[in-house]
Amino acid sequence: MTLTMGKALNAALRDALREDDSVVVFGEDVGALGGVFRVTDGLTAEFGEQRCFDTPLAESGIVGLAIGMAMNGFRPVVEMQFDAFAYPAFEQLASHVAKMRNRTRGAVGLPMVIRVPYAGGIGGVEHHSDSSEAYYVQTPGLKVVTPATVADAYSLLREAIADPDPVVFMEAKKLYWSKDETALPVRTAPFGTAEVRREGADATLLAYGPTVPVALEAAAAAVDDGGRELEVVDLRTLVPFDDDTVAASVRKTGRCVVVAEAAGFASVSAEIAARVQERCFHSLWAPVLRVTGWDIPYPPPVLERYHLPGVDRVLDTVDRLQWDDAPDPRFLTAGSA
Amino acid sequence: MTTQAEHRMPTAVPPDDPTALLPASEPIRFLNDDGGAAPGDAHGRYQRPPTELLRRAYRAMVVGRRFDAQATALTKQGRLAVYPSSRGQEACEIGAVLALRDTDWLFPTYRDTMALVSRGIDPVEALTLLRGSWHCGYDPIATRTAPQCTPLATHAPHAVGLAYAATRRGEDTVALAVVGDGGTSEGDFHEAMNFAAVFHAPVVFLVQNNGFAISVPLSRQTAAPSLAHKGVGYGVRGERVDGNDPVAVMAVLIDAVESARAGGGPVLVEAHTYRVEPHTNADDDARYRGHDEVEAWKRRDPIARLEAHLRAGGDLTDDDVTAAREAGEAFAADVRTRLAAEPTGDPADLFAHVYAEPTPQLREQARWLAEELDAGEAR
Ligand SMILES: Cc1ncc(C[n+]2csc(CCOP(=O)(O)OP(=O)(O)O)c2C)c(N)n1
């Protein structure tokens, strides 16, 4: 069946609500409207207001309510309407959601999912396109998941809801309308498993969420461009992180580019580059390079194409992986401007 | 500017009688639904604004509505990325502007573009955010208007800070923060009210209660008797007003602003109004409300009510009405012409104002992007 990612997420919520009475869905506009992206479409109609309901407009309250409900037998799945509108809830996430199991020595776990539509490329005005994953990833105690395929969207959301720990589930907005041939229900690999989406011998592209299609497109173009075979690894879950699959790929190819949409400085891509360097130093023919958004607040729609890592920028970076032993000139002058 | 030492912290004095903080039992009205005089004298402390001001308001509302319709049309042509209409809320939008002096500050939301243009901000600059060419197109300092705020209620504490700073500097500036009904549920709204009361800051909070926060009705937002009642818990006087009665909205807002200016502390005004258009052009309101409800509210149209009222008093002629409409047409035509072209953006702007001085890394990234674009052109 041909299915969009949005529909797959909707099906995952529906199936979870059907199978487990303790699952509840709530947030802003998730009821009658079905969410601004329609991910919760029809859930109130099918399961009633006890199971899927609108709350007052207060993200801190929503996550705080979820904490209390999770402490008392429920499995809340809450929606933050857009990336930047989750910031009012950050106090609850950082101070409580992430720490509850640890501070109670395991007595109180919080099985809950915080769904965050994130990242750009949809022409949204400010506060609608942030890539906020680093804040969550930097907060021990949270699992952070970001699907890039329709099947993964379904499977990873089901796993997130079943997980005994809190999961920040990051949905790349521009992928909501991406389509694939998928029969539901489907189970893909579990959390902590990266997936090789395309095999290649010459260099590894590491991507997640919104940049997975970009990396795949770049890999396809690279064959024509310079005859290079690029391997594309979709990380799927940022926490837990699959060091093994990543290291195996980079050891095989000897070259690595991380492709991420968020600003590069102190980012998930920085962490990944460091890990690869630590684990694969002796296999590398070139430093690990990164293609990221610039270190700027997310730009307005008219300028976002200059900010987002696109296929050309990925291919240019691949060209700089010291194929002829010359170091990347950009980094020789780094900081000297 | 006063120094720390000279400055005495204003101290909030709780009123002897907390009921003095409570709003009237019914929203303040001067006009009934069709523009005749409302029965009774529910308006108590409030004065009908001078006729000349009401005539100005009428014209601004007509122009504002025409502008709003034009902006909505521009979304259909793809000229604006998004537009949240304030059609039906003209009395609040114009009331907010006319209650302020030029030296006062307005802290608007994404919905208040009509208020911005009524404040004299160039419409193209006002639409820059929604057009997608930059996050804010006007100069907030020059216009005394904060950037339109998208994260809900997060600007309310800023208004308090600005107003408090004004008292510290010995200015008589008032800050007016506009919030939606949904926005009143956010923590920042409550923190702002509490700070405003404790610091006795000259702030007016205008809540445009238009019935919905996207799809969520007020009954899902609050169990309070009214949003204006929320003030009492913080020591802020609350008032509610028929938000589709321009005479009442202006009477209450002018009173609130001048009371804040005179040292009376913050005021919370809840205006009962209605959003007759969908939340934005991207919203499907058929999913959460009935056609009849919308039509019923359209019959309480603020422009028609003011027009009837002014005509009845002989204060508005056919010529005035025609002139207002013509002004609206001219305004809309100007907006249309000036937004006809695709907005363009200079990629160098990405790095220009992240810091007062770009960091070495940003300079470097700007250079990389320039090289990338040159190479792209050469290709
Ligand atoms: C902190 C935050 N959360 C969520 C949103 C998404 N959002 C945009 S407008 C809106 C509804 C706001 O309703 P209300 O405050 O009543 O104002 P109105 O749009 O009706 O003028 C929501 C939920 C947001 N902008 N900011």
Side-chain angles (χ1 to χ4, degrees):
Chain A
M1 192 166 76
T2 306
L3 205 67
T4 63
M5 182 179 283
K7 285 265 189 304
L9 293 164
N10 180 261
L13 292 171
R14 195 177 295 270
D15 291 351
L17 283 160
R18 208 173 275 150
E19 285 170 31
D20 181 351
D21 281 346
S22 67
V23 174
V24 283
V25 172
F26 55 90
E28 296 158 9
D29 301 291
V30 299
L33 192 69
V36 293
F37 295 106
R38 306 288 184 262
V39 172
T40 58
D41 197 15
L43 300 182
T44 303
E46 183 171 345
F47 299 99
E49 290 224 345
Q50 298 285 311
R51 306 293 306 284
C52 176
F53 52 91
D54 288 325
T55 62
L57 211 169
E59 293 75 13
S60 180
I62 291 167
V63 173
L65 185 79
I67 294 173
M69 288 187 76
M71 289 171 76
N72 200 1
F74 284 89
R75 299 184 98 83
V77 184
V78 304
E79 177 172 300
M80 300 281 107
Q81 202 156 76
F82 282 89
D83 32 64
F85 305 146
Y87 299 143
F90 194 69
E91 150 69 13
Q92 291 294 340
L93 277 161
S95 297
H96 297 291
V97 174
K99 295 186 167 96
M100 190 65 89
R101 178 181 297 285
N102 185 256
R103 66 207 274 237
T104 61
R105 295 185 169 224
V108 183
L110 293 176
M112 56 189 275
V113 181
I114 301 103
R115 295 184 33 245
V116 186
Y118 84 117
I122 61 159
V125 298
E126 62 172 350
H127 310 290
H128 290 80
S129 298
D130 285 17
S131 287
S132 44
E133 66 270 25
Y135 305 130
Y136 306 117
V137 165
Q138 170 69 3
T139 306
L142 302 176
K143 291 184 177 172
V144 182
V145 173
T146 180
T149 68
V150 173
D152 265 357
Y154 179 91
S155 181
L156 292 173
L157 184 53
R158 290 301 307 270
E159 188 175 348
I161 297 170
D163 199 281
D165 282 310
V167 178
V168 179
F169 195 87
M170 310 207 56
E171 301 165 5
K173 287 187 284 282
K174 73 171 182 197
L175 298 185
Y176 276 136
W177 301 275
S178 67
K179 284 192 185 134
D180 218 339
E181 214 34 55
T182 313
L184 298 183
V186 61
R187 277 306 166 116
T188 60
F191 283 8
T193 318
E195 195 74 37
V196 177
R197 297 276 179 219
R198 180 188 172 110
E199 304 257 2
D202 296 334
T204 298
L205 300 181
L206 298 177
Y208 60 90
T211 55
V212 172
V214 177
L216 285 169
E217 213 184 305
V223 179
D224 307 330
D225 221 38
R228 289 189 184 121
E229 293 290 346
L230 306 182
E231 180 145 307
V232 176
V233 178
D234 171 1
L235 298 170
R236 301 175 70 251
T237 64
L238 302 177
V239 180
F241 188 80
D242 183 358
D243 283 308
D244 292 346
T245 302
V246 167
S249 174
V250 177
R251 288 195 188 111
K252 179 176 97 177
T253 63
R255 289 181 167 85
C256 177
V257 174
V258 190
V259 188
E261 201 177 298
F265 196 79
S267 61
V268 172
S269 62
E271 169 65 24
I272 296 169
R275 299 177 88 81
V276 171
Q277 230 108 229
E278 284 161 6
R279 282 165 181 75
C280 308
F281 182 70
H282 292 292
S283 312
L284 285 168
W285 294 103
V288 179
L289 298 184
R290 293 182 290 148
V291 185
T292 68
W294 309 115
D295 295 327
I296 59 173
Y298 196 89
V302 165
L303 293 174
E304 71 181 345
R305 68 178 185 280
Y306 301 113
H307 172 68
L308 293 173
V311 171
D312 285 345
R313 201 174 287 168
V314 175
L315 291 175
D316 286 349
T317 308
V318 168
D319 283 344
R320 295 195 172 98
L321 288 170
Q322 291 186 222
W323 301 94
D324 53 6
D325 278 334
D328 183 345
R330 286 191 316 179
F331 295 102
L332 292 179
T333 58
S336 61
Chain B
M1 190 175 160
T2 49
T3 63
Q4 296 292 92
E6 291 168 68
H7 176 75
R8 268 183 63 245
M9 200 71 163
T11 326
V13 185
D16 299 333
D17 175 12
T19 59
L21 299 175
L22 287 175
S25 56
E26 291 294 322
I28 304 297
R29 297 181 100 190
F30 280 71
L31 306 180
N32 65 23
D33 282 0
D34 48 30
D41 68 338
H43 20 92
R45 74 184 270 171
Y46 303 105
Q47 316 281 318
R48 178 182 180 276
T51 300
E52 200 37 51
L53 199 58
L54 293 177
R55 283 169 46 85
R56 264 178 71 197
Y58 174 78
R59 192 180 165 100
M61 287 167 66
V62 171
V63 173
R65 173 168 297 181
R66 185 62 190 89
F67 162 79
D68 191 85
Q70 183 60 59
T72 302
L74 287 167
T75 60
K76 302 204 172 95
Q77 301 158 19
R79 291 282 170 250
L80 296 183
V82 64
Y83 183 74
S85 169
S86 56
R87 185 186 183 91
Q89 302 180 210
E90 288 85 359
C92 306
E93 296 284 304
I94 306 309
V97 169
L98 291 185
L100 297 178
R101 296 185 188 167
D102 285 350
T103 48
D104 292 333
W105 272 73
L106 178 68
F107 284 76
T109 77
Y110 51 85
R111 194 170 300 288
D112 305 314
T113 317
M114 191 191 291
L116 301 191
V117 299
S118 306
R119 232 193 158 194
I121 294 176
D122 182 298
V124 174
E125 292 180 6
L127 286 171
T128 301
L129 167 74
L130 301 165
R131 195 184 190 201
S133 47
W134 198 257
H135 306 301
C136 176
Y138 50 90
D139 177 348
I141 304 291
T143 59
R144 300 241 157 187
T145 304
Q148 282 180 284
C149 191
T150 302
L152 296 163
T154 48
H155 59 313
H158 313 169
V160 178
L162 188 130
Y164 172 58
T167 62
R168 293 276 299 258
R169 290 166 61 97
E171 302 163 353
D172 66 355
T173 306
V174 174
L176 188 151
V178 188
V179 185
D181 42 299
T184 66
S185 294
E186 291 281 2
D188 272 345
F189 176 71
H190 299 273
E191 296 186 23
M193 280 215 293
N194 192 41
F195 270 57
V198 168
F199 288 93
H200 206 70
V203 186
V204 175
F205 301 99
L206 169 61
V207 177
Q208 292 190 64
N209 173 0
N210 63 8
F212 289 90
I214 309 189
S215 69
V216 180
L218 187 71
S219 57
R220 259 285 167 197
Q221 212 61 249
T222 182
S226 82
L227 295 172
H229 276 84
K230 289 181 187 256
V232 68
Y234 300 101
V236 174
R237 182 168 72 80
E239 187 58 280
R240 48 185 170 160
V241 58
D242 177 343
N244 284 23
D245 174 348
V247 180
V249 172
M250 292 189 57
V252 170
L253 282 180
I254 289 168
D255 176 86
V257 167
E258 292 315 321
S259 146
R261 195 186 317 281
V267 186
L268 165 64
V269 176
E270 176 188 13
H272 296 260
T273 181
Y274 195 80
R275 159 166 67 68
V276 295
E277 293 288 321
H279 172 68
T280 67
N281 53 299
D283 173 41
D284 175 9
D285 62 334
R287 283 179 168 249
Y288 57 83
R289 64 183 186 184
H291 179 73
D292 290 353
E293 182 182 301
V294 181
E295 289 307 308
W297 272 92
K298 280 187 179 165
R299 287 194 288 276
R300 306 181 54 202
D301 185 80
I303 296 182
R305 281 166 84 182
L306 183 58
E307 185 175 324
H309 171 69
L310 289 175
R311 276 184 189 273
D315 297 319
L316 196 74
T317 63
D318 285 348
D319 285 351
D320 295 329
V321 172
T322 308
R325 292 202 183 131
E326 281 169 5
E329 287 309 322
F331 198 86
D334 173 59
V335 170
R336 211 163 43 234
T337 319
R338 291 167 64 207
L339 292 187
E342 272 310 321
T344 51
D346 179 355
D349 281 352
L350 291 177
F351 307 97
H353 301 291
V354 183
Y355 303 99
E357 278 295 320
T359 61
Q361 288 74 21
L362 284 180
R363 287 216 180 84
E364 184 171 70
Q365 291 176 18
R367 205 169 54 238
W368 291 348
L369 177 59
E371 281 167 19
E372 192 178 297
L373 295 172
D374 285 348
E377 263 162 36
R379 221 175 267 152

